[in-house]
Structures are given as C-alpha cells and as structure tokens.
Amino acid sequence: MSDEAPWLVVGLGNPGREYAANRHNVGFMVADLLASRFGGRFGRAKRTQAEAAEGRLGFGGPRVILVKPLTYMNLSGAPVVSLAQFFKIPVANVIAVHDELDVPFGQVRAKRGGGEGGHNGLRSMSKSLASKEYARVRFGIGRPPGRQDPADYVLSDFSAVERKELDFLVDRAADVTEAIILEGVEWAQNKYHGV
C-alpha cells in the first residue's frame, strides 16, 4: 500500500435512470454514499467517460477519488485505467465495489485479487489494468431464483424484501471500503466477515 498515492474507488454499474435500482448498480449506490460521507460531489471527469468525486477520509486522511464509469459495465476498465494513470494510482490502491452472485444477499466481503466470476465489469478492469491484484468489495446479491438467467437477474431491481435491508447493506459496504483504505484488506476481512 502506498501512503502517498491517492485511492481510486470504482463503483461498478450501468449509467441511466432505467438501471439505477438494479442489483448490478449497487457499486454506484455505495459510491454515492461514500461521496456524501466526505462531502464530495460527482462531476464529469475530464478526458474520460466517467463521473468522479474527490475527498479525504477524515481530517487529513487519505485522498480518495470515487469513480462511476459512464460506459456500460463491460467497458468499465477504460475510464478506470485512464484515471489511475492520470492520478498516478498503483493497482494496490484501486478498489472495485460490485455486485456478487456468489455471495448471499445480506453479506459484504472484502478481498484482493482473484478471478472475476463472470462479472463483466471486473473482467474489463482486470484487462485494462493488466492486473487482477486490486481490492474488491463484493456486495452479495445471491443466485437468481429458479431458472432465471443470471444476466436478467443482475439487471432486475432488488425485491421489496431486499429493499428493506438495502440501505443498511450499502452503508456496510461503504464501511468495508473505508476499512480497506485505512487498515487494509485483511483487517477489513477480520472485522466484517463474521458479521
């Protein structure tokens, strides 16, 4: 971890009002909450297809650039790598916040590196960054019910029952993201994985 370089937190999602409440857009939801926590405002990032907000965690804390790519999910990597290069952010200081089919709804998991599990946003980031060694905040959405196609499931809105817990879980995912920045992935895993 670099103490000097800022952190790049990428909320993965799809742009457009029709996608706003989809399971696939939980990364955007977490990014919005993080921006509100440190008084950042999203604006169009120069020279790339993304919205970005800047701020610091706590007084004099680490500098954080929050990103919501405005490409669709499967092209997320291009704006991520251009911002990482512009701000001179090493891969070790990149965090992707994303929906995760392989984690049950109600759980948030932290990890560094690993596969993409069929997630097109992660696949695009790994390819563009030429590395899988960025941190991830995996927001569990669980597997689709019955025989529903996973692609349709992730592009559907959270159920009424899930929405009752959604604000709490988005808040927890924001906490996990901050914990990774301040204390590291392993610390975040120890604190939040048993919850």
Side-chain angles (χ1 to χ4, degrees):
M1 271 188 303
S2 166
D3 293 330
E4 302 299 319
W7 286 80
L8 191 68
V9 176
V10 183
L12 289 174
N14 285 311
R17 194 172 292 149
E18 68 272 30
Y19 299 107
N22 287 180
R23 291 177 174 90
H24 224 19
N25 268 45
V26 77
F28 278 16
M29 297 173 200
V30 175
D32 287 339
L33 178 60
L34 285 165
S36 72
R37 285 184 177 184
F38 58 60
R41 295 178 63 111
F42 278 98
R44 187 68 187 255
K46 291 179 184 155
R47 296 182 293 279
T48 191
Q49 285 185 282
E51 288 187 339
E54 279 189 66
R56 287 192 179 273
L57 282 187
F59 182 73
R63 186 169 161 226
V64 179
I65 294 104
L66 297 167
V67 182
K68 295 191 294 186
L70 294 176
T71 56
Y72 285 89
M73 184 70 83
N74 58 350
L75 299 172
S76 301
V80 170
V81 79
S82 79
L83 287 165
Q85 289 170 345
F86 178 79
F87 288 105
K88 298 179 173 54
I89 299 171
V91 170
N93 281 32
V94 175
I95 303 173
V97 183
H98 64 92
D99 59 303
E100 178 60 68
L101 287 163
D102 292 328
V103 174
F105 180 79
Q107 294 182 15
V108 178
R109 296 281 176 260
K111 77 178 231 182
R112 179 173 298 283
E116 292 94 11
H119 195 292
N120 290 330
L122 294 178
R123 189 177 292 137
S124 179
M125 278 184 60
S126 297
K127 185 176 179 191
S128 295
L129 291 166
S131 174
K132 296 181 180 186
E133 290 307 306
Y134 51 90
R136 296 104 187 269
V137 174
R138 305 162 75 211
F139 189 105
I141 61 169
R143 286 270 159 202
R147 296 179 176 215
Q148 186 178 7
D149 179 14
D152 293 336
Y153 179 68
V154 299
L155 292 175
S156 63
D157 291 355
F158 287 98
S159 70
V161 171
E162 289 170 335
R163 281 197 299 272
K164 291 176 181 169
E165 289 185 72
L166 189 58
D167 287 348
F168 168 77
L169 295 170
V170 167
D171 195 62
R172 171 166 290 159
D175 290 346
V176 171
T177 305
E178 290 185 357
I180 291 171
I181 293 168
L182 295 171
E183 305 289 349
V185 171
E186 197 173 313
W187 190 92
Q189 289 171 334
N190 290 336
K191 180 168 175 65
Y192 290 102
H193 283 202
V195 187

